Amino acid sequence: MKILKGYVFRMYPNENQEELINKTIGCSRFVYNYFLDDKIKEYKKTGKSKSAYDQIKLIPSLSKEKPWLKEVDSCALRNSLFNLEDAYKRFFNGNGYPRFKAKGVHESYKTNNIKSSYKGNNYNSIKLDLKNKTITLPKLKEVKIRGYRNKEVIPGEVKSAVIKKDAGKYNMFGLFCLSPNSSNSNNVFNVNNNGNVNNNNANNTNNAVRPLNSLKHYGL
């Protein structure tokens, strides 16, 4: 059984990082809306529509038409299509039809920790350094964050991160995979083989790191 724990960190990007975050949010919104329009048109013509995986294969060709898409985190673009597919699944379960995303509403994007190795060394695209109060994210590199009181390390591996802009402020919602002996810590999400999530404790609060009440609510 995997044990997942969510943390929220306030981010303090510099001017260039802030510009890139806003670009990534905008590009993710564009890709979502572009392929939502594509699904609607295709369904009207054929009664079928592409899956998220089929649409992801079209991102490279779209990036040739829209070169600015290459400036941002590619994981964010792919995740926007998984979000679109989830919106359709909710629709088929009785919720409203997926809507086009508007600028200034729910501004966020999700990225994943991509592992790689080179000459025997292992690398992660997302790295948290509580001691120096920084988070390394794809394209953004090191971003300053508010530290976690009385902690210099979180005993787990970052799985994904959602970067959210709200009223001109930026937060990073991180999902960590913990070892089983961390299961009695606060705000732990146990995930079984079916992907079902149980939140053991989501009532504890902290000035620097606030608990996540729901993984799906934060896009994790």
Side-chain angles (χ1 to χ4, degrees), residues 6 10 16 45-46 73 78 81 88 114 138 169 202 211 214:
R10 174 66 62 80
N16 290 334
K45 289 181 179 179
T46 67
D73 181 2
R78 292 193 293 270
L81 295 181
Y88 268 92
I114 305 300
K169 297 179 181 179
S214 166

Side-chain angles (χ1 to χ4, degrees), residues 24-50:
T24 308
I25 291 171
C27 288
S28 298
R29 181 176 60 248
F30 172 83
V31 167
Y32 182 99
N33 289 341
Y34 180 92
F35 284 102
L36 172 56
D37 183 63
D38 179 71
K39 286 175 80 73
I40 293 171
K41 290 177 179 177
E42 185 179 14
Y43 186 80
K44 286 180 179 179
K45 289 181 179 179
T46 67
K48 298 179 181 180
S49 62
K50 300 180 184 69

Side-chain angles (χ1 to χ4, degrees), residues 168-188:
K169 297 179 181 179
Y170 299 88
N171 291 304
M172 191 280 286
F173 300 78
L175 182 64
F176 291 74
C177 185
L178 306 180
S179 58
N181 58 12
S182 302
S183 61
N184 56 1
S185 59
N186 289 327
N187 193 39
V188 170

